[in-house]
Amino acid sequence: MKDIQAIRGAAFIRQLVAEGEHDRQDFKYLISDARKIARSISAFANNKGGRLIIGVKDNGVIAGVRNEEDVYVVEQAAERYCTPSQTIDFKAYKVEGLHVIIAEIPQAKKRPVMVDEGEGKFKAYYRVADENIAAHPLMVRAWQIEADNLMGPLDERHFALTALLSQKSLLDERQIALALHLSQSTADALIARLAAAGVLSFHYNGSRFLFGV
């Protein structure tokens, strides 16, 4: 039975590795920095969740877990460096004598999941393709509105912004303020409110976030 489980585990891991790194999967071979791992946890938790495959190099080579303490470092990252702390589910697999661990990170029930960057600084991350990027401040603001249930009613300015984005597709916050003849602070508040309501979405173009409906 153990051999059958090992074979099934090996096939499963190879299938995942063949997918490469993407918005719900990241390979980890060297795990030494809990804060760096916390950024990955934050990025997955603030998006749709994901998994760390520990024991696989960035190029997809299955090299096996180097140190049994790797699980402890991931746990420390989730509990010590993430706010609120996150619960990680670990499963171990064996591939041709090598041990591989999958750390499953669920989508956060309450966002944002922030990372303690030290010196009193906290930052939220978001997973885009195979990257962990800093979440846009208005994205964080929208999550906070949603988490604190501070939605409030929509007014004609929100509808004007929705109509604008329906016509212009994707715009950044400055373009929105100019197009609607609003102060930047007012435009930002409208964007965050509509994002919290699920009307407006964030799009990363490789260098910056844009907003659309």
Side-chain angles (χ1 to χ4, degrees):
M1 183 62 71
K2 291 182 179 180
D3 291 338
I4 293 175
Q5 290 177 337
I7 292 172
R8 289 177 178 173
F12 176 62
I13 293 299
R14 289 196 183 95
Q15 179 182 347
L16 292 182
V17 170
E19 295 176 7
E21 294 181 311
H22 51 70
D23 62 337
R24 301 196 67 177
Q25 180 166 285
D26 197 5
F27 300 153
K28 292 294 180 186
Y29 178 57
L30 297 174
I31 294 186
S32 57
D33 187 337
R35 184 171 278 123
K36 185 176 180 180
I37 295 299
R39 295 177 187 133
S40 294
I41 294 171
S42 168
F44 283 128
N46 285 327
N47 198 337
K48 299 177 182 178
R51 68 181 73 91
L52 301 175
I53 304 183
I54 305 169
V56 177
K57 296 184 178 181
D58 289 343
N59 60 5
V61 172
I62 299 174
V65 174
R66 298 170 59 250
N67 193 321
E68 293 181 358
E69 293 296 315
D70 286 351
V71 170
Y72 169 74
V73 176
V74 176
E75 288 180 331
Q76 182 186 41
E79 296 173 4
R80 164 65 181 83
Y81 291 102
C82 288
T83 303
S85 62
Q86 301 296 296
T87 300
I88 311 298
D89 180 45
F90 296 94
K91 291 183 180 178
Y93 297 85
K94 199 170 184 179
V95 183
E96 295 180 357
L98 299 172
H99 290 90
V100 174
I101 296 174
I102 293 182
E104 290 283 355
I105 301 153
Q107 181 181 30
K109 295 180 180 179
K110 184 176 182 179
R111 300 180 294 180
V113 174
M114 309 291 286
V115 175
D116 182 352
E117 296 286 357
E119 299 182 352
K121 297 180 181 179
F122 290 82
K123 184 181 291 187
Y125 292 84
Y126 192 73
R127 185 75 176 182
V128 177
D130 60 350
E131 294 183 87
N132 303 324
I133 62 175
H136 192 286
L138 292 182
M139 182 182 288
V140 175
R141 186 170 169 181
W143 291 334
Q144 291 170 333
I145 291 172
E146 183 180 7
D148 296 335
N149 196 26
L150 299 174
M151 304 297 282
L154 298 178
D155 58 32
E156 66 276 1
R157 297 172 304 171
H158 295 97
F159 297 122
L161 173 52
T162 301
L164 172 66
L165 293 176
S166 296
Q167 297 172 354
K168 299 292 186 178
S169 184
L170 300 176
L171 297 173
D172 65 25
E173 60 269 39
R174 293 184 179 182
Q175 292 170 325
I176 288 172
L178 289 172
L180 295 179
H181 307 290
L182 299 171
S183 67
Q184 192 61 62
S185 61
T186 299
D188 289 351
L190 296 178
I191 293 168
R193 172 64 180 83
L194 286 177
V199 176
L200 179 152
S201 56
F202 295 81
H203 302 265
Y204 188 68
N205 68 359
S207 60
R208 60 176 178 153
F209 278 100
L210 300 172
F211 313 101
V213 294

